[in-house]
Amino acid sequence: MLLAETVLVDIDQHRSHWVEYKMSRRAFLLRAGATGLVSVLPLRSLFANSASPFTLSAKPARLDILNGEGPKTDVWAYGASIPGPEIRIPQGDVLRIRFENELPQGSTVHWHGIRLPNAMDGVPNLTQKPVRTGGSFDYEFRPPDAGTYWYHPHVKSSEQVGRGLYGPLIVEEPDPPRVDREVTWVLDDWRLSEQGAIEDSFSNMHDMSHAGRLGNVATLNGKNSEKFMVRAGERIRLRMINVANARGFALSFADHAPLVIALDGHPVEPYAPPKGRV
């Protein structure tokens, strides 16, 4: 429920395929016999420009994606949360992250959209060896560009991202737009069974031949939320990141005035999207 007069939108969109998709899971929940509205929770943020590295652990977890309206789901998560913690760093400062792998398979961390040294890019068997189960790797680089980015694995990306391994990376510009507050939305969809379990068919030929798989449950910041409360007249900077395996999202801001100010980590001349649809 958006009540703002102006929304400034930063978009990180890693898919070129766009479809209209409502943030609703009623088809799924009617089978499960559940209804209701919930609120979007703010992300947990950390500032990663200290002298010692921040530890980012990837491990199995059991989380309530359906907000009590269905069974909990076994996922893989950074820091036991989906999305993983929002990493924030001022433009030009040094980011230091120690990645610890507690997954049942090797993994890496790729910093999506960031210009950085090749050795820090997290591409397995090309820029680094996969971090084995129980192992760790220290990432250290200086992001040169401000913007909205995200991090995720590049080992079996379809599966590992599809199980919940992703989080926002915000590089703050020295002179940001004047707003009342910032909000980050991470959009995803999941293919869940009626028991709330992730369908394991990540490598089936149909999905691989159709550029990825579409889910049956959409989430915003790791929850199938439908309500977002704001104050009338406030000016919000809304950072939006699409991490879905194959789905594009088209969001309508009816009766409001969104201005797109950045796309894929790069500022653009602010413009009003046609019919308020981003």
Side-chain angles (χ1 to χ4, degrees):
M1 183 181 299
L2 283 169
L3 302 175
E5 288 182 347
T6 304
V7 181
L8 305 181
V9 182
D10 293 29
I11 307 168
D12 193 307
Q13 163 209 315
H14 76 297
R15 305 296 180 197
S16 59
H17 172 64
W18 281 91
V19 296
E20 186 164 8
Y21 186 67
K22 295 181 179 179
M23 293 292 291
S24 173
R25 75 291 187 202
R26 284 189 173 87
F28 174 83
L29 290 178
L30 284 176
R31 294 197 300 270
T35 58
L37 292 175
V38 290
S39 296
V40 180
L41 299 177
L43 300 183
R44 179 167 58 96
S45 295
L46 63 95
F47 291 86
N49 58 338
S50 61
S52 57
F54 170 81
T55 298
L56 186 69
S57 297
K59 63 182 72 174
R62 187 169 177 82
L63 300 180
D64 184 15
I65 291 176
L66 297 174
N67 269 323
E69 299 176 344
K72 290 186 177 181
T73 301
D74 290 317
V75 300
W76 294 352
Y78 292 118
S81 68
I82 294 178
E86 180 181 79
I87 298 174
R88 282 184 170 264
I89 187 167
Q91 181 180 6
D93 279 15
V94 177
L95 183 145
R96 298 179 177 89
I97 298 288
R98 174 163 295 159
F99 169 61
E100 294 183 348
N101 183 15
E102 299 181 42
L103 302 171
Q105 57 185 237
S107 192
T108 63
V109 180
H110 170 66
W111 311 92
H112 193 106
I114 295 287
R115 293 191 296 139
L116 76 178
N118 207 40
M120 298 290 105
D121 200 37
V123 181
N125 301 312
L126 182 62
T127 66
Q128 69 172 103
K129 294 181 179 179
V131 180
R132 69 184 188 280
T133 302
S136 65
F137 185 87
D138 286 352
Y139 293 93
E140 182 173 322
F141 56 91
R142 191 185 301 270
D145 305 307
T148 302
Y149 307 99
W150 61 297
Y151 59 92
H152 62 84
H154 249 319
V155 177
K156 297 184 177 179
S157 297
S158 175
E159 177 180 359
Q160 293 196 5
V161 176
R163 293 187 182 276
L165 287 171
Y166 50 77
L169 171 60
I170 309 301
V171 182
E172 300 175 332
E173 64 265 73
D175 187 21
R178 294 180 60 185
V179 296
D180 295 304
R181 60 171 165 147
E182 282 197 12
V183 176
T184 302
W185 283 2
V186 181
L187 305 170
D188 194 8
D189 73 341
W190 305 71
R191 187 178 294 179
L192 301 183
S193 70
E194 293 193 11
Q195 290 72 43
I198 296 174
E199 295 283 359
D200 287 329
S201 56
F202 287 100
S203 299
N204 75 75
M205 289 304 298
H206 177 275
D207 292 344
M208 293 179 69
S209 65
H210 286 73
R213 72 187 207 160
L214 301 177
N216 56 1
V217 176
T219 57
L220 197 164
N221 291 351
K223 302 287 185 181
N224 58 348
S225 306
E226 291 185 339
K227 183 165 58 176
F228 173 59
M229 301 301 296
V230 299
R231 297 181 301 276
E234 73 174 326
R235 185 178 173 91
I236 295 175
R237 182 177 190 172
L238 178 58
R239 298 181 182 266
M240 298 196 301
I241 305 171
N242 175 16
V243 304
N245 190 275
R247 188 184 299 280
F249 295 89
L251 304 184
S252 178
F253 292 83
D255 301 322
H256 306 289
L259 291 174
V260 177
I261 63 172
L263 180 64
D264 288 342
H266 297 282
V268 298
E269 187 70 25
Y271 68 93
K275 298 181 181 179
R277 191 164 173 263
V278 177

